[in-house]
Amino acid sequence: MSDASHHTPEGHSARILAAIVESAVDGIVLIDAHGRIEAFNPSAERLFGYAAAEVMGRNVSMLMPSPFREEHDRYMERYLTTGVKKIIGIGRSVSGRRKDGTTFPIHLSVGEMTIGGERKFSGIIHDLTSRVQLEGQLREQAALVTLGEMAAVLAHEVKNPLAAIRGAIQVIAGRLPSESRDASVMTEVIRRIDGLNDLMKDLLLFARPPQPRPVPIDVVSLLKTTAELLNKDAEFKELGVGISGAVPPVLADASLLGVVFENLLLNSAQAMRGKGVIGVSVASSGNHCEIVITDSGPGIPPEVREKIFAPFFTTKSKGTGLGLPTTKRFVEAHGGTIAVDCPVGGGTTITVRLPLRT
């Protein structure tokens, strides 16, 4: 026999409320006055990676990263004692902690209620990951527009006078005896002017990259050509590049993709101090071409790995810090992605994924 309460208005309302909670897009968590979890809807399961059965009866602080998890019980006790609210009824942006230990941005709205004479708190959790990523992209784009404008001014105001200065120094140097001290000073001045000119070129290339002009490209042939150019450098005469695999032609800009491969192979060569073999594998992965470049260098520390695509960040004594950021921009301009990994055994693996268009 069915429960008669199911046919009462109260029972009907309860079923509707339960359906709303179960189908809600946002995560909903119900806790008691001691912070113990009493309800955990499917969206909360999806957000945090826990099944409801894993969290029932446990303290809600398990869903928070430090230092919030340590502060939670003190906050609850202070609120129950003093009635002073910091988040209840207001809502704020905080961080959540998934089952795997990773954190993510959320907007948390907390409500208070009384059920059966007991005080309860409901938390509605909205995942802000996509919004935070979009805001970051918009800030980056705005910064790049500003940088592009600055680079154009610098190119106009500095590059041309720099060329004139270099020419004048060369004329003066040509009139000096080759063995004189002044001649060596002039040579050093020219070298430094060339370094500044290279910086200007890198800055312009990064700030105002050309739009790709895609044509069908044989990726393996382009890699081999780039590797041959690298091998002609006396600094890398003891270095080899082993290229394996094959893919259909990729629609890409050969000159921009050449810069990508040149930067990546050069970084690997420098990491290996010009000795050994850089491994390059090319394969199809779904509707993408995957290029994996592996070196046997010392690897990249995690704290450095987080910054390697940031403009002007470099660990090299001679470097502008624009090579990898430019590489990333060129890859993304082709609709691709680039990722860096450092296996436990050492070395660095860089994976470039480019869409295969037919």
Side-chain angles (χ1 to χ4, degrees):
M1 184 179 292
S2 61
D3 190 338
S5 66
H6 285 190
H7 302 288
T8 65
E10 292 82 1
H12 181 65
S13 297
R15 290 197 305 277
I16 291 175
L17 181 60
I20 291 171
V21 170
E22 290 293 303
S23 62
V25 174
D26 290 334
I28 298 177
V29 180
L30 182 70
I31 64 172
D32 64 14
H34 301 287
R36 293 186 292 256
I37 299 173
E38 294 188 346
F40 200 72
N41 78 338
S43 287
E45 291 181 315
R46 189 166 55 253
L47 283 175
F48 290 96
Y50 288 102
E54 295 179 275
V55 301
M56 289 299 186
R58 296 178 64 183
N59 195 295
V60 71
S61 63
M62 68 184 289
L63 305 177
M64 307 171 187
S66 295
F68 306 108
R69 64 190 311 166
E70 290 82 11
E71 295 173 356
H72 177 262
D73 288 343
R74 289 197 299 273
Y75 168 67
M76 287 288 292
E77 184 180 349
R78 187 166 58 248
Y79 169 66
L80 294 172
T81 304
T82 66
V84 176
K85 302 177 182 179
K86 283 192 175 180
I87 186 172
I88 296 169
I90 303 168
R92 62 189 286 193
S93 295
V94 294
S95 293
R97 184 179 185 272
R98 299 186 182 93
K99 183 178 180 179
D100 63 8
T102 58
T103 60
F104 63 110
I106 61 174
H107 184 271
L108 174 64
S109 302
V110 180
E112 184 180 0
M113 67 201 77
T114 301
I115 301 176
E118 294 185 10
R119 187 177 280 180
K120 311 285 184 184
F121 299 92
S122 64
I124 298 177
I125 300 145
H126 181 69
D127 188 356
L128 296 179
T129 302
S130 297
R131 193 180 87 179
V132 169
Q133 288 175 343
L134 179 60
E135 288 173 348
Q137 290 170 355
L138 291 174
R139 283 195 300 270
E140 183 179 340
Q141 288 171 4
L144 288 173
V145 168
T146 303
L147 183 60
E149 293 170 352
M150 182 187 75
V153 171
L154 282 173
H156 182 266
E157 299 295 332
V158 177
K159 208 159 181 267
N160 294 337
L162 207 59
I165 292 169
R166 190 186 191 282
I169 296 292
Q170 276 186 309
V171 170
I172 295 171
R175 295 173 180 172
L176 296 172
S178 58
E179 68 278 2
S180 73
R181 184 178 178 278
D182 289 342
S184 62
V185 171
M186 292 300 180
T187 300
E188 178 63 15
V189 170
I190 290 173
R191 189 184 69 79
R192 297 201 177 198
I193 289 173
D194 288 342
L196 185 55
N197 192 51
D198 288 341
L199 173 60
M200 293 301 305
K201 286 179 181 176
D202 288 349
L203 181 59
L204 277 171
L205 193 62
F206 172 73
R208 288 191 167 181
Q211 287 299 310
R213 296 180 179 178
V215 294
I217 298 294
D218 184 340
V219 170
V220 173
S221 293
L222 184 58
L223 279 164
K224 287 179 177 177
T225 301
T226 309
E228 287 170 5
L229 291 172
L230 187 69
N231 288 335
K232 289 179 181 178
D233 190 325
E235 185 182 350
F236 305 120
K237 61 183 179 182
E238 297 180 50
L239 184 85
V241 181
I243 301 171
S244 62
V247 287
V250 174
L251 274 179
D253 187 308
S255 61
L256 299 189
L257 213 52
V259 172
V260 168
F261 295 153
E262 182 183 346
N263 283 342
L264 295 180
L265 290 177
L266 182 61
N267 278 353
S268 292
Q270 290 171 340
M272 294 168 63
R273 299 182 182 275
K275 296 180 181 180
V277 178
I278 300 171
V280 182
S281 66
V282 182
S284 299
S285 175
N287 59 348
H288 282 80
C289 161
E290 201 164 82
I291 302 115
V292 181
I293 299 174
T294 306
D295 68 52
S296 55
I300 306 171
E303 64 274 13
V304 174
R305 209 180 313 160
E306 293 175 0
K307 303 174 185 175
I308 59 173
F309 292 117
F312 308 110
F313 175 80
T314 182
T315 57
K316 300 174 184 177
S317 57
K318 296 179 182 178
T320 62
L322 291 171
L324 282 176
T326 300
T327 296
K328 184 173 184 284
R329 291 203 74 188
F330 283 7
V331 170
E332 291 176 347
H334 284 85
T337 60
I338 182 169
V340 178
D341 183 45
C342 292
V344 177
T348 300
T349 299
I350 298 180
T351 303
V352 175
R353 300 184 82 235
L354 298 169
L356 282 172
R357 299 185 180 95
T358 55

